[in-house]
Amino acid sequence: MATKAKAVRGRQRFGGLDRDSLLRMYRTMFEARRTDDQEMLLKRQNKIFFQISGAGHEGIQVAIAEHLRPGSDWFYLYYRDRALALALGLTSYEQLLQAVAAESDPASGGRQMPAHWGKRELHIVSTSSPTGTQFLQSVGAAEAAWRATRVAEIRERIERFEDDEIVLCTTGEGQTSEGEFFEALNTACNLKLPVVFLVEDNGYAISVPVEVNTAGGSISKVVSGFPGLYIEEVDGTDVVASYEAAGRAVRYARERKGPALLHAHVTRPYSHSMSDEETRYKPPAEREEEARRDPITRLRQLLLAEGLATEAELTALEQEVLEQVRAASDRALQQPQPPKHTATRFLYSEEVDPCSEAFDTEDDPQFRGDPTTMVDLLNACLRDEMARDPRVVVFGEDVADCSREAYLERGEVKGKGGVFGVTFGLQRRYGSTRVFNSPLAEANIIGRAIGMAVRGLKPVVEIQFFDYIWPAMMQIRNELATMRYRSGGHWSAPVVIRVTYGGYLKGGAVYHSQTGESIFAHTPGLRVVMPSNAVDANGLLRTAIRCDDPVLFLEHKHLYRQVYNKGRDPGPNFMIPFGKAKVLREGTDVTVLACGALVKRSLDAAAAAEAKGISCEVIDLRSLSPLDMETIHASVKKTNKVLIAYEDARSWGIGAEIAARVAEELFEWLDAPVRRVASLDTWVAYSPQLEEVILPNMEDVLQAVEALAAY
């Protein structure tokens, strides 16, 4: 009885932790530090190629891990979370596999640098290098479950979750300077999402001290005004205090009170990475103070001082860990790197091919109703797909009918459904859980969508104007497009990004007329689609939603309500595969490859050319990535002359890539240089007279056709 009473008093003194828990935590911390050291040794021996340390952060990490449930909770970690990853179940051997770029690395299959954690069974979502991109994705992951609790059909279709699960998102203090940190807090607080943000503040962002990085030197004070955000500040080198503080933060989120922010002050005894030298900006006195606060040293002293372990016991434990880490290192070094032929694996889904016959129902449309516009047929596709698959959620700026639902219910307003009305009526039909407005923040839209897609939802998001997509570029290129590749196929994020683009609208000017599809077609892992008419828009959007890859779906504003490109609704199973161009007009003298708004102008030019005895074959590319080179080959071999017509600026546009491929693959069939018709290399001006000369028109295409025919 006396022994039991002593144990109870010990747990009370240590915040509820007993001897075994403290020893287990010490072992994990020591293993993390020694794994860091082993990687440093391997780097000096040129056996690995990069190293970044989690030293000094171990205390708060093992402390919060005691309150977490791997495989139930979800984790968005950052590169210093070695001890946390170990505590969640990722072994030092698995961590070293990544360091040596082994094919068997469970996080990335040799595709990511060391300390980029990931393991599907544990719900550790693939970590990436860009600072701060994890914030919005963690919010999206929490939001997926939050929405699933409101729609039973969603819950049945996505990856399992528990009603009290949380999402842990970790970060260094330096990363909180990113705007996406504040965007994430805004949405998490707005929806009261169960996200715990752990800020591991070691006082530096590489060499930039906290008082320079953050106003007032305290991120927890900066964000203190967020409604419903639980904030706790703790000495992250004190394991017991960290355990207690983490428990309160996690409990707040589990009880669905809202998000929590745990601000833990830690140390960084090693340089930022092995590419950095901290002695250049940290004086000896500061480094000595850090050494005194080392969490491993502090916990070891506690174990000895409280009689929870003897020196001999700790020495034996440490020796065992050292041998284990060395053995793991030796074993990892023996593992092969990924074969060279796998260099392009995992860019796209290997199970669902949107270029395949399974997505080709174009020859069997089930037409219904009268001819209508591209806007209406895009809306019809979204309506049908939301009925077919409850996982489809639609959001963005202004996409809902009305966020104040009472106005709709009382019939006080008609509802909006997007600036151009593409999503009109969807909120009324499917509810505000599946169709909703976002803040006016493009990165917020894409980041949240990635987190939702990782959990199994099918987000179809709208970026209101192509001109304003750039704040989301980091999320699109470095996160969305890389998710499958960087995780070795373990994670995917099949998000559809609908974007309105283009000119030919008087008054669009510099910031409502932009194109730039080549930038996204240049992004590996991202599909890029550009329909020119209502029926194609319907079929291509359906393919985009049903495929398992991220898709940039470009919708031309000028084409939304044109009479000439109207069509009848082709039915709920009408699909056009990606990489399938369409010959709209057959000819023998010149091939015109066109996309978007240039398709109609090219057809008009071809008609005018025919009157002059020139036969043009006009091809609508429809899909830019992938590109249908087979159809291009067949046409060029027939006409021997090629013109590429596109709306973007002439230099460095999509036409340059197509011209290069035609020259490379079809040179022997060419009887003339490949020509391009495109916009001038400038911005679109507000003046209609300037816009007319800047954007390519039918006469430009006709002149180029005539020049080629006469060559």
Side-chain angles (χ1 to χ4, degrees):
M1 290 295 292
T3 302
K4 183 177 181 180
K6 184 177 180 181
V8 170
R9 288 195 299 274
R11 283 196 299 271
Q12 291 172 344
R13 191 162 69 252
F14 305 129
L17 292 167
D18 59 17
R19 173 184 182 275
D20 289 343
S21 298
L22 288 166
L23 280 171
R24 183 182 66 251
M25 293 162 77
Y26 178 75
R27 182 188 183 96
T28 301
M29 293 166 66
F30 189 81
E31 182 178 356
R33 186 70 62 88
R34 297 292 80 83
T35 306
D36 268 335
D37 293 341
Q38 185 64 27
E39 283 189 353
M40 290 178 180
L41 175 63
L42 294 176
K43 175 67 171 64
R44 293 187 186 101
Q45 295 172 339
N46 291 319
K47 294 179 178 178
I48 69 172
F49 322 108
F50 180 77
Q51 205 284 328
I52 193 164
S53 165
H57 292 229
E58 299 97 343
I60 184 61
Q61 291 177 15
V62 298
I64 198 169
E66 292 291 306
H67 302 283
L68 304 173
R69 306 169 187 165
S72 170
D73 295 329
W74 288 76
F75 307 101
Y76 284 80
L77 308 184
Y78 94 116
Y79 48 76
R80 298 215 191 276
D81 287 329
R82 186 181 300 280
L84 178 52
L86 287 171
L88 294 176
L90 192 68
T91 67
S92 55
Y93 172 63
E94 290 172 318
Q95 294 181 5
L96 287 160
L97 284 173
Q98 188 171 62
V100 302
E103 182 183 19
S104 52
D105 157 33
S108 72
R111 286 161 173 78
Q112 287 245 67
M113 301 162 77
H116 288 59
W117 327 109
K119 194 166 188 179
R120 191 169 189 92
E121 307 93 280
L122 301 174
H123 289 177
I124 302 175
V125 181
S126 174
T127 303
S128 66
S129 292
T131 56
T133 49
Q134 73 273 29
F135 300 132
L136 287 166
Q137 293 175 41
S138 69
V139 168
E143 190 176 352
W146 180 83
R147 296 190 183 281
T149 61
R150 288 154 175 76
V151 179
E153 293 85 355
I154 296 179
R155 182 166 195 153
E156 293 167 2
R157 295 286 298 275
I158 70 170
E159 189 161 338
R160 69 178 180 85
F161 68 93
E162 298 179 20
D163 290 325
D164 67 344
E165 70 172 32
I166 68 162
V167 176
L168 175 70
C169 180
T170 67
T171 177
E173 188 274 341
Q175 297 181 36
T176 63
S177 293
E178 298 283 359
E180 292 182 20
F181 175 69
F182 295 91
E183 292 182 25
L185 288 178
N186 183 45
T187 296
C189 291
N190 221 353
L191 300 178
K192 296 185 177 179
L193 296 175
V195 183
V196 175
F197 296 94
L198 170 60
V199 180
E200 302 170 33
D201 185 353
N202 61 34
Y204 281 89
I206 306 185
S207 68
V208 180
V210 62
E211 70 274 12
V212 174
N213 190 69
T214 302
S218 172
I219 190 60
S220 51
K221 291 179 181 176
V222 169
V223 301
S224 60
F226 276 96
L229 177 66
Y230 177 85
I231 300 174
E232 180 132 2
E233 197 166 0
V234 69
D235 179 353
T237 68
D238 183 331
V239 170
V240 174
S242 294
Y243 173 81
E244 294 176 315
R248 291 188 289 269
V250 170
R251 186 162 54 251
Y252 183 86
R254 286 209 194 281
E255 292 174 356
R256 295 305 182 260
K257 294 178 180 178
L261 184 138
L262 181 58
H263 182 187
H265 294 275
V266 298
T267 67
R268 200 192 73 193
Y270 298 163
S271 295
H272 166 74
S273 71
M274 289 190 73
S275 302
D276 175 49
E277 178 46 68
E278 67 169 8
T279 59
R280 291 174 177 264
Y281 50 86
K282 276 188 186 179
E286 185 174 335
R287 298 174 67 215
E288 289 167 8
E289 174 58 26
E290 283 188 331
R292 283 192 289 271
R293 294 184 56 233
D294 190 298
I296 294 179
T297 302
R298 292 188 68 180
L299 182 53
R300 196 180 199 281
Q301 291 171 344
L302 175 70
L303 291 168
L304 292 172
E306 296 294 334
L308 300 174
T310 65
E311 179 66 40
E313 288 173 326
L314 292 181
T315 299
L317 179 152
E318 291 161 358
Q319 185 60 37
E320 181 183 334
V321 168
L322 277 170
E323 292 172 1
Q324 174 190 319
V325 169
R326 288 170 184 158
S329 176
D330 291 342
R331 185 180 165 203
L333 286 167
Q334 295 171 1
Q335 305 310 307
Q337 294 194 4
K340 291 182 179 180
H341 72 268
T342 65
T344 58
R345 276 198 73 188
F346 308 122
L347 282 175
Y348 304 101
S349 172
E350 297 184 355
E351 288 75 43
V352 181
D353 180 5
C355 304
S356 68
E357 291 185 4
F359 285 86
D360 194 349
T361 59
E362 187 174 12
D363 294 335
D364 186 29
Q366 305 297 310
F367 287 118
R368 52 192 183 184
D370 297 324
T372 189
T373 64
M374 182 185 285
V375 164
D376 291 335
L377 289 195
L378 286 167
N379 181 275
C381 177
L382 289 168
R383 191 171 60 243
D384 290 342
E385 286 303 292
M386 292 189 78
R388 182 190 67 85
D389 188 348
R391 299 175 304 153
V392 176
V393 293
V394 173
F395 67 100
E397 299 164 14
D398 289 307
V399 304
D401 290 311
C402 183
S403 290
R404 292 174 175 168
E405 297 174 77
Y407 293 169
L408 287 174
E409 294 167 0
R410 294 195 296 260
E412 297 178 31
V413 297
K414 179 182 178 181
K416 186 170 186 178
V419 171
F420 300 97
V422 175
T423 55
F424 177 74
L426 296 181
Q427 180 193 0
R428 284 182 184 272
R429 183 179 291 249
Y430 296 107
S432 299
T433 300
R434 295 182 63 195
V435 184
F436 50 94
N437 286 326
S438 71
L440 201 155
E442 288 76 16
N444 179 286
I445 296 169
I446 304 302
R448 288 164 65 189
I450 295 170
M452 292 182 200
V454 159
R455 296 291 303 267
L457 293 188
K458 295 284 289 188
V460 181
V461 301
E462 179 179 304
I463 299 295
Q464 199 169 84
F465 292 98
F466 184 93
D467 318 61
Y468 306 130
I469 199 171
W470 311 113
M473 191 62 179
M474 178 73 84
Q475 288 288 349
I476 294 171
R477 182 172 173 85
N478 278 339
E479 297 295 326
L480 179 65
T482 65
M483 180 65 76
R484 189 189 304 275
Y485 184 80
R486 74 176 195 243
S487 67
H490 293 298
W491 297 99
S492 63
V495 175
V496 179
I497 308 170
R498 295 181 40 253
V499 192
T500 60
Y501 78 101
Y504 300 105
L505 293 173
K506 285 186 173 61
V510 177
Y511 298 112
H512 291 82
S513 305
Q514 291 180 24
T515 54
E517 64 278 356
S518 61
I519 296 171
F520 295 93
H522 180 65
T523 301
L526 183 68
R527 309 285 192 181
V528 181
V529 181
M530 184 184 283
S532 68
N533 61 76
V535 173
D536 282 2
N538 180 283
L540 288 166
L541 181 58
R542 187 169 286 106
T543 298
I545 294 171
R546 295 190 188 184
C547 86
D548 198 34
D549 299 319
V551 181
L552 183 75
F553 195 87
L554 295 163
E555 302 169 10
H556 203 296
K557 302 186 292 291
H558 176 68
L559 301 179
Y560 266 154
R561 290 184 170 86
Q562 295 295 333
V563 174
Y564 61 75
N565 69 354
K566 283 185 174 183
R568 296 172 64 201
D569 186 342
N573 199 43
F574 179 76
M575 291 180 288
I576 298 171
F578 295 161
K580 181 185 178 185
K582 186 173 185 178
V583 179
L584 300 180
R585 180 188 180 108
E586 295 200 3
T588 57
D589 296 330
V590 177
T591 294
V592 181
L593 305 176
C595 54
L598 266 295
V599 171
K600 174 63 164 59
R601 286 157 179 77
S602 297
L603 287 170
D604 290 345
E610 186 176 35
K612 300 182 179 185
I614 303 170
S615 175
C616 290
E617 182 148 296
V618 179
I619 298 175
D620 183 353
L621 296 172
R622 304 199 291 191
S623 161
L624 302 180
S625 181
L627 184 68
D628 183 359
M629 285 303 296
E630 184 177 343
T631 297
I632 293 172
H633 274 232
S635 181
V636 173
K637 288 178 180 179
K638 179 170 56 173
T639 67
N640 311 118
K641 295 178 179 179
V642 186
L643 173 67
I644 307 159
Y646 57 104
E647 185 178 343
D648 198 10
R650 186 176 187 274
S651 297
W652 317 107
I654 195 73
E657 170 62 19
I658 298 172
R661 293 187 65 177
V662 168
E664 181 178 329
E665 299 172 24
L666 295 161
F667 179 78
E668 56 266 42
W669 280 277
L670 292 175
D671 290 340
V674 179
R675 293 286 300 270
R676 290 171 289 166
V677 170
S679 293
L680 300 183
D681 290 337
T682 186
W683 303 102
V684 177
Y686 176 68
S687 162
Q689 185 166 302
L690 291 177
E691 181 187 54
E692 184 178 359
V693 72
I694 290 167
L695 294 175
N697 53 46
M698 186 275 283
E699 290 77 14
D700 296 323
V701 178
L702 179 59
Q703 289 175 16
V705 165
E706 290 175 335
L708 269 178
Y711 187 86

